[in-house]
Amino acid sequence: MKRNRIQISFVLLSVFAIASNAYTQNPLPCGNYRIDTAAENKAMQFRLPNATNRPAVANAVVRVYFHNLANDDGTNSAITPAQLATEFTNLIGSYAADKVCFINAGTDTIKNTFLNTLFNADNDPEGTFFSPYRVPNCINCFYTQKINGNNNACNPPCGIGGIALDSIPGTFFLVSKGNIGKGSTTSHEMGHCLGLLHTFEPSNGIEAINGSNGTTSADMVSDTPADPYVFNGNACFTVSANSCLYTGTCTDPNGASNYSPPYSNLMAYWWNGKDANGFFVNCYPNLAATNGQFARVNSFLASNTGLINSSSSTYITQFGITVSSGYYMNSALYTFNTSGNVVFNGTAKALLGGGKVSLEPGFRASPSAGGQVKITVQPCNY
């Protein structure tokens, strides 16, 4: 008997209705994060021998699950489907040069007014309030109306635009509605999850302009220029009228002051300017990471358990399995196959993805209300 093989991309799910409200707000900086020093030390063993040639990692397709926050009654939704599609496209573009790709593992709507509008990151640095909603084996991105927190850039504190909770590296982050579509915030926060620090990270010390301590200070990446943003708030730190250019007199550890900031770097803040009326000006719309930053990303993808578990194996064949509840998130870099009776039913939420998905006879997907089976083809151009 001839066996029919199905190669398909579709979604079987309960439909998520996402409302949209008009909303305008100047974008905000991201919140404080915690650096996982043990993960840093482990990644260093992968990074040091390959600091310049940026080798590709074995697992370079990362699953991302998107959560849209709304109020208890379903109103005041944080992001629209069109915005989410754009954010995902931009995310792929931000890391394409490193051949790190992403799979949209799914989307849900969380009705929770507290998390949507009242959550304060200062009071929950580990993100425990969001933990019940995290999908395993994925990096989780939550879009909210507002992230409250102590942002000294405004008085009273007006909150933050995004934050990587857990630690750096980690597996979930928040983005506030006012930052959607601005400053590549989704890609920036993803960078934190993948191990990237701000170009001006103060906890590692101030970077010298001549780069002599580039691998041990600030973001610990040698090919990102020293960033005077570390002096923000000091008298020596001044900027142009639109905030797009550095005009200050701050000095580095060697006494030099001829800073050439990384204006268009994905992990810098220079994109966020203002016009004469105080409204947002996108100073540098094409933000990008450097070879050194990509080498750092690859070292964490190769060494961090949470990121490895959120990434795809090269090839996968899923043999007989029945999943009726909980999550099943799995994807392949190239081909995902099923073999025998592979059944998803009940309230199970599942993803089967890869560059090609082949479903053999015996595959069945019949989710009930609340269940979801997503089968997606995500060819990554390697």
Side-chain angles (χ1 to χ4, degrees), residues 169-236:
T171 56
F172 82 112
F173 62 94
L174 315 182
V175 175
S176 68
K177 184 177 180 68
N179 276 56
I180 293 171
K182 300 181 180 73
S184 299
T185 299
T186 297
S187 297
H188 177 103
E189 298 303 332
M190 177 63 74
H192 286 321
C193 285
L194 298 177
L196 295 182
L197 308 176
H198 289 144
T199 52
F200 52 89
E201 172 55 45
S203 68
N204 296 321
I206 297 173
E207 183 175 0
I209 293 172
N210 66 7
S212 58
N213 61 347
T215 60
T216 58
S217 63
D219 63 354
M220 300 197 294
V221 176
S222 61
D223 65 355
T224 56
D227 192 344
Y229 203 92
V230 68
F231 297 104
N232 186 26
N234 293 2
C236 66

Side-chain angles (χ1 to χ4, degrees), residues 38-64:
E40 177 73 47
N41 293 335
K42 188 176 181 181
M44 188 76 72
Q45 306 309 311
F46 287 81
R47 186 160 64 250
L48 289 179
N50 303 294
T52 58
N53 62 0
R54 188 174 106 214
V57 291
N59 299 319
V61 178
V62 181
R63 294 181 291 273
V64 188

Side-chain angles (χ1 to χ4, degrees), residues 7-22:
Q7 296 177 5
I8 191 167
S9 176
F10 62 90
V11 181
L12 302 173
L13 72 164
S14 54
V15 177
F16 298 107
I18 303 178
S20 174
N21 294 330

